[in-house]
Amino acid sequence: LSFNCLMPVSYTHLFKFFQELPHRVLQGIFGIISYVILSNLIPGVSDAILTPTTVVIIALAYLLCFLMQASIGLLAFWIIEISGVLNMGEVIRAVFSGILVPIVFLPDYLANIAYITPYPYIIYFPVISLQGLADTNLQMWVMSMQIMWITFFYILYKVLWHFGIRQFSG
């Protein structure tokens, strides 16, 4: 980290993004293959529909997840032990992203909270789009929300990096 902090321009976020990309692409391919296999074995499960819009939603979801995790990771400039924050984030993500229970099955007040967080735009809506359950209007709304959250977390990352470098002593 000291080497990256001394550079005139931070390449850390770009380096980490491309370092993580092959793993996530491979993970996504395995997920799609598993879904296709399960959809053929279990009656009533729809086939995966990989449209260009769905690919864009999945790519934006990856970028959003990366920027959100990177921003949370930068809290390490101020917090000595960050694992508690990361664990709390995992629990919140499991509830509000539809991993534990689809968001439509949550009580209304929890579903409304979930929709204003970035979590459903990382997991729930890309899966809905992949299943072919999202119409064009919903897909456009999801992409606009993803872009809004990406912009927010990019700005947050830049601000946290700027002030974190001043806080850092290595």
Side-chain angles (χ1 to χ4, degrees):
L1 183 62
S2 296
F3 175 74
N4 291 322
C5 291
L6 296 175
M7 290 183 175
V9 176
S10 170
Y11 297 103
T12 307
H13 56 281
L14 257 147
F15 176 72
K16 284 300 201 185
F17 178 81
F18 286 113
Q19 186 181 27
E20 188 77 12
L21 188 62
H23 168 70
R24 297 300 175 188
V25 168
L26 189 62
Q27 189 179 31
I29 290 170
F30 287 149
I32 290 171
I33 290 170
S34 300
Y35 183 82
V36 168
I37 290 170
L38 287 175
S39 68
N40 288 325
L41 295 176
I42 301 171
V45 176
S46 61
D47 290 334
I49 300 171
L50 201 59
T51 64
T53 315
T54 301
V55 171
V56 170
I57 288 174
I58 291 170
L60 289 173
Y62 169 69
L63 182 59
L64 172 57
C65 184
F66 174 79
L67 286 172
M68 187 172 72
Q69 291 298 104
S71 298
I72 292 170
L74 288 180
L75 293 177
F77 281 124
W78 294 275
I79 301 171
I80 294 172
E81 180 57 47
I82 196 166
S83 63
V85 174
L86 296 176
N87 290 338
M88 183 181 66
E90 290 297 319
V91 170
I92 293 170
R93 180 169 62 178
V95 173
F96 290 140
S97 67
I99 291 175
L100 293 177
V101 176
I103 295 175
V104 295
F105 294 148
L106 291 175
D108 287 341
Y109 71 94
L110 278 180
N112 291 334
I113 292 171
Y115 290 132
I116 60 172
T117 68
Y119 299 108
Y121 307 102
I122 295 172
I123 297 172
Y124 181 71
F125 286 116
V127 169
I128 294 295
S129 183
L130 188 62
Q131 290 177 322
L133 301 175
D135 62 359
T136 306
N137 290 334
L138 179 60
Q139 288 178 330
M140 293 300 143
W141 179 75
V142 167
M143 286 189 290
S144 65
M145 291 300 291
Q146 286 176 321
I147 291 169
M148 186 216 45
W149 279 112
I150 288 168
T151 304
F152 171 78
F153 281 111
Y154 180 75
I155 292 169
L156 179 65
Y157 178 86
K158 293 301 242 181
V159 168
L160 289 174
W161 180 262
H162 174 74
F163 288 111
I165 290 299
R166 293 179 180 191
Q167 181 76 18
F168 179 70
S169 63

